[in-house]
């Protein structure tokens, strides 16, 4: 069974989805790929996992670095999971590029090259906004590109972290 809870962030209302394993989704209301991992049948309920996520988000939006990670349940393809696990390694206040992530995957998969576009698609489908920090991925030219929650939110998140 999946459960949903709501969080009012400074950047808009968010929905938090959890199951018996952990947080499986956090989306800004009506963002691209909204509720992508949410099943048709769910129940509105504040779970311990949702409370962990809300606490983490409260600390984050206060401008501090959370010193814990809520229990996550990432749901995706093996490639998406590999990309999202790389996102989790991007430190607060830092950014990386789609190309850098591609190069990391080239090494992991022992390939000659990896499409930055494929990486971008996986980054864009990240179902756990902010906690899995896809907002920290920028274009090779330093431009803000592709954030399912909107580029204005991406800019505000990076500004909060003093990354731009």
């Amino acid at each position: 069974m999946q459960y949903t809870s709501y969080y009012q962030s400074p950047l808009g209302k968010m929905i938090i989805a959890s199951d018996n394993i952990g947080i499986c989704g956090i989306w800004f209301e009506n963002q691209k790929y909204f509720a992508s991992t949410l099943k048709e049948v769910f129940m509105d309920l504040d779970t311990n996992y949702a409370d962990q996520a809300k606490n983490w988000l409260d600390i984050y939006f206060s401008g501090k670095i959370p010193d814990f990670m809520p229990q996550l349940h990432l749901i995706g393809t093996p490639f998406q999971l590999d990309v999202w696990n790389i996102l989790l390694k991007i430190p607060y206040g830092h950014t990386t590029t789609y190309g850098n992530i591609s190069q990391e995957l080239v090494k992991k998969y022992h390939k000659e090259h990896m499409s930055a576009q494929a990486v971008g698609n996986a980054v864009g489908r990240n179902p756990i906004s902010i906690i899995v920090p896809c907002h920290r991925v920028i274009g090779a030219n330093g431009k803000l590109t592709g954030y399912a929650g909107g580029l204005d939110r991406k800019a505000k998140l990076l500004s909060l972290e003093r990354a731009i």
Side-chain angles (χ1 to χ4, degrees):
M1 175 60 91
Q2 288 183 320
Y3 307 95
T4 57
S5 184
Y6 298 90
Y7 179 79
Q8 186 58 52
S9 84
L11 303 180
K13 188 175 182 181
M14 302 181 84
I15 184 172
I16 300 170
S18 61
D19 59 19
N20 62 339
I21 298 172
I23 298 299
C24 52
I26 300 178
W27 306 272
F28 286 102
E29 195 170 54
N30 301 317
Q31 78 172 47
K32 191 173 184 181
Y33 310 118
F34 179 75
S36 61
T37 57
L38 194 58
K39 295 179 180 175
E40 287 185 28
V41 177
F42 59 88
M43 180 186 313
D44 285 339
L45 180 70
D46 284 329
T47 64
N48 287 335
Y49 296 130
D51 289 342
Q52 288 176 16
K54 289 177 185 181
N55 186 27
W56 192 99
L57 290 166
D58 283 343
I59 294 166
Y60 176 85
F61 281 116
S62 76
K64 297 176 183 162
I65 303 171
D67 63 354
F68 69 97
M69 178 61 71
Q71 181 67 38
L72 302 179
H73 180 200
L74 290 166
I75 301 169
T77 67
F79 179 75
Q80 287 172 330
L81 294 173
D82 285 342
V83 171
W84 301 337
N85 281 308
I86 291 170
L87 298 179
L88 285 166
K89 297 176 191 172
I90 306 169
Y92 180 99
H94 292 82
T95 59
T96 193
T97 66
Y98 299 97
N100 288 344
I101 295 172
S102 295
Q103 289 307 308
E104 194 167 333
L105 292 168
V106 161
K107 292 175 189 169
K108 178 181 172 96
Y109 294 147
H110 307 289
K111 297 210 174 213
E112 290 185 30
H113 61 81
M114 174 71 57
S115 164
Q117 185 176 7
V119 168
N121 288 334
V123 170
R125 291 190 177 270
N126 165 33
I128 303 179
S129 295
I130 305 175
I131 294 176
V132 178
C134 55
H135 62 278
R136 296 180 187 150
V137 183
I138 60 174
N141 57 6
K143 284 193 173 185
L144 300 187
T145 60
Y147 185 63
L151 289 181
D152 58 329
R153 285 189 179 121
K154 183 173 188 163
K156 289 176 182 173
L157 292 169
L158 292 174
S159 179
L160 174 72
E161 295 183 22
R162 295 173 188 83
I164 58 169

